[in-house]
Amino acid sequence: MENMKLNNNLECPMLGLGTFMLSPEDAYTSTLEALKMGYSLIDTANAYVNERAVGRAIKDSGIDRKNIFLSTKIWASEYENENTVEETLERLGVDYVDLLYIHQPAGNWLAGYRMLEKAYREGKAKSIGISNFEGKYMEELETKWEIVPQFIQVEAHPYFTQKELRVTLDKYGIKLMSWYPLGHGDTALMNELVFAGLGKKYGKTSAQVILRWHTQMGFVVIPGSKNAEHIKDNMDIFDFALTDEEMEQIAKLDKNERYYHRTDEQLVQFANWKPEFEK
């Protein structure tokens, strides 16, 4: 596994397990399997309603807590709940997380960010981040943060490389964590000839080539799966490296086109929706 150094000198693995859309049962099994295989980064969120399951898997793995990089996200309807950090830690069964995000630029997101900064100062979050903050939201936050975030989690893949956003990120040393890293299952992306050719050269699948591209772009990548073989294959990407010329070939695929288009109406809905947490 390769690691990256964050702007606060904390180290984070380049690849982890995402648990978006995994039921508590599947999140438990996948997290446990991943940790046994050697994963050390696990990403979850209030809104995934599987934090308790992830926490149980971490405990049952028997792996020392300090050897696991645990990431979660505070949901928009929780930004004004002064107890939300403690409640999140309680669900996970831990006394700190390695990375704590606010999930959406919805509702009173500045109150949410202040909560992150407080958690960081108190040692309850070793690093902090923003998820889905782009454009005007990133520009506004830039003028208001007291502590620069370590991470942003956004959609990124070879068709959408976040070129514009990365100008701001590079200025502050903020790292990017990719979601939809494989194009949300888009067969057009997976079937691009460049990936087939590189897969043949290196003895890898197209998915493995794309995941390796992410890490060589400097992105942390968190593909999710409930299939143990896929989880294993996703980790098997650090025994080869794409050349500069091959990275340039892949760069030509960039269309600056995303799969997910969030609306202002959705942001209002996000602020009003309350997750039904596991009991």
Side-chain angles (χ1 to χ4, degrees):
M1 180 63 67
E2 295 174 1
N3 290 345
M4 65 159 50
K5 187 169 279 192
L6 308 182
N7 62 18
N8 63 352
N9 289 320
L10 191 70
E11 293 222 339
C12 175
M14 295 294 294
L15 179 135
L17 177 76
T19 62
F20 176 53
M21 294 187 74
L22 292 186
S23 68
E25 183 181 359
D26 288 335
Y28 174 85
T29 304
S30 293
T31 300
L32 195 59
E33 287 286 341
L35 291 171
K36 285 179 181 176
M37 290 174 190
Y39 278 74
S40 53
L41 165 60
I42 306 294
D43 179 76
T44 181
N46 294 173
Y48 303 171
V49 295
N50 58 24
E51 287 172 310
R52 287 194 187 281
V54 167
R56 286 195 301 274
I58 288 172
K59 183 181 178 185
D60 292 350
S61 74
I63 295 169
D64 196 314
R65 170 70 186 91
K66 70 176 187 292
N67 295 324
I68 296 171
F69 194 102
L70 178 58
S71 163
T72 195
K73 308 172 203 73
I74 303 295
W75 184 247
S77 58
E78 297 292 308
Y79 293 161
E80 294 180 346
N81 171 8
E82 62 183 24
N83 299 315
T84 193
V85 172
E86 286 69 25
E87 290 168 4
T88 296
L89 295 176
E90 185 275 326
R91 282 192 296 275
L92 289 163
V94 297
D95 54 14
Y96 72 92
V97 289
D98 299 273
L99 173 55
L100 185 63
Y101 289 98
I102 49 173
H103 204 150
Q104 293 283 353
N108 190 353
W109 59 261
L110 185 58
Y113 196 79
R114 293 288 179 248
M115 192 188 303
L116 297 190
E117 292 175 322
K118 181 174 184 283
Y120 183 81
R121 292 187 184 103
E122 294 175 348
K124 293 173 183 174
K126 301 296 185 187
S127 59
I128 57 176
I130 45 182
S131 180
N132 304 303
F133 274 70
E134 299 167 70
K136 64 182 181 181
Y137 300 106
M138 188 68 183
E139 289 169 12
E140 186 178 351
L141 179 61
E142 216 180 331
T143 67
K144 293 182 176 175
W145 60 42
E146 294 168 10
I147 298 171
V148 175
Q150 282 70 54
F151 263 108
I152 187 166
Q153 191 174 119
V154 286
E155 177 178 348
H157 42 75
Y159 283 165
F160 188 66
T161 66
Q162 291 283 2
K163 199 175 292 182
E164 186 179 331
L165 177 64
R166 284 190 282 127
V167 174
T168 301
L169 303 186
D170 291 346
K171 188 162 57 169
Y172 297 103
I174 300 168
K175 300 300 185 184
L176 189 154
M177 192 177 283
S178 309
W179 57 261
Y180 282 179
L182 299 173
H184 197 40
D186 181 11
T187 54
L189 177 63
M190 300 296 282
N191 292 334
E192 288 284 357
L193 291 177
V194 63
F195 299 129
L198 291 172
K200 190 173 181 182
K201 174 182 175 181
Y202 292 111
K204 299 293 178 182
T205 64
S206 291
Q208 287 170 320
V209 173
I210 294 171
L211 293 176
R212 187 55 170 145
W213 169 85
H214 278 273
T215 65
Q216 288 188 222
M217 285 289 289
F219 303 160
V220 172
V221 64
I222 46 167
S225 181
K226 58 184 180 182
N227 181 306
E229 283 304 310
H230 289 169
I231 294 170
K232 183 171 182 289
D233 288 345
N234 289 343
M235 192 185 185
D236 187 23
I237 62 169
F238 296 105
D239 58 351
F240 75 106
L242 301 167
T243 66
D244 290 346
E245 184 182 351
E246 289 163 352
M247 290 293 286
E248 286 170 15
Q249 279 182 278
I250 297 171
K252 292 174 184 172
L253 298 177
D254 190 0
K255 304 174 179 180
N256 198 33
E257 286 182 10
R258 63 176 80 228
Y259 292 96
Y260 179 69
H261 297 272
R262 185 193 59 216
T263 64
D264 289 343
E265 290 75 20
Q266 283 175 305
L267 287 177
V268 172
Q269 291 168 5
F270 291 161
N272 292 320
W273 177 72
K274 292 188 179 297
E276 291 188 26
F277 298 119
E278 301 162 90
K279 303 298 182 190

PDB file of all heavy atoms in Angstrom, residues 3 6 107 209 222:
ATOM      1  N   ASN A   3       1.126   5.402   0.695  1.00  0.00           N
ATOM      2  CA  ASN A   3       0.515   6.441   1.516  1.00  0.00           C
ATOM      3  C   ASN A   3       0.808   7.813   0.942  1.00  0.00           C
ATOM      4  O   ASN A   3       1.748   7.978   0.150  1.00  0.00           O
ATOM      5  CB  ASN A   3       1.058   6.395   2.954  1.00  0.00           C
ATOM      6  CG  ASN A   3       0.586   5.165   3.712  1.00  0.00           C
ATOM      7  OD1 ASN A   3      -0.347   4.493   3.303  1.00  0.00           O
ATOM      8  ND2 ASN A   3       1.237   4.870   4.813  1.00  0.00           N
ATOM      9  N   LEU A   6      -0.480  14.433   4.222  1.00  0.00           N
ATOM     10  CA  LEU A   6      -1.457  15.513   4.149  1.00  0.00           C
ATOM     11  C   LEU A   6      -0.821  16.838   4.577  1.00  0.00           C
ATOM     12  O   LEU A   6       0.313  16.861   5.053  1.00  0.00           O
ATOM     13  CB  LEU A   6      -2.658  15.182   5.039  1.00  0.00           C
ATOM     14  CG  LEU A   6      -3.296  13.800   4.812  1.00  0.00           C
ATOM     15  CD1 LEU A   6      -4.493  13.606   5.722  1.00  0.00           C
ATOM     16  CD2 LEU A   6      -3.675  13.599   3.352  1.00  0.00           C
ATOM     17  N   GLY A 107     -27.956  23.496   3.920  1.00  0.00           N
ATOM     18  CA  GLY A 107     -28.312  23.986   5.245  1.00  0.00           C
ATOM     19  C   GLY A 107     -27.263  24.950   5.779  1.00  0.00           C
ATOM     20  O   GLY A 107     -26.615  25.684   5.022  1.00  0.00           O
ATOM     21  N   VAL A 209      -6.408  -0.723 -13.840  1.00  0.00           N
ATOM     22  CA  VAL A 209      -5.636   0.335 -14.504  1.00  0.00           C
ATOM     23  C   VAL A 209      -6.201   1.711 -14.120  1.00  0.00           C
ATOM     24  O   VAL A 209      -5.453   2.643 -13.806  1.00  0.00           O
ATOM     25  CB  VAL A 209      -5.638   0.154 -16.039  1.00  0.00           C
ATOM     26  CG1 VAL A 209      -4.991   1.358 -16.730  1.00  0.00           C
ATOM     27  CG2 VAL A 209      -4.903  -1.129 -16.422  1.00  0.00           C
ATOM     28  N   ILE A 222     -11.560   5.246  -3.244  1.00  0.00           N
ATOM     29  CA  ILE A 222     -12.292   4.395  -2.284  1.00  0.00           C
ATOM     30  C   ILE A 222     -13.398   3.598  -2.982  1.00  0.00           C
ATOM     31  O   ILE A 222     -14.583   3.802  -2.712  1.00  0.00           O
ATOM     32  CB  ILE A 222     -12.879   5.243  -1.138  1.00  0.00           C
ATOM     33  CG1 ILE A 222     -13.572   6.510  -1.686  1.00  0.00           C
ATOM     34  CG2 ILE A 222     -11.803   5.631  -0.126  1.00  0.00           C
ATOM     35  CD1 ILE A 222     -14.438   7.232  -0.673  1.00  0.00           C
TER      36      ILE A 222
END
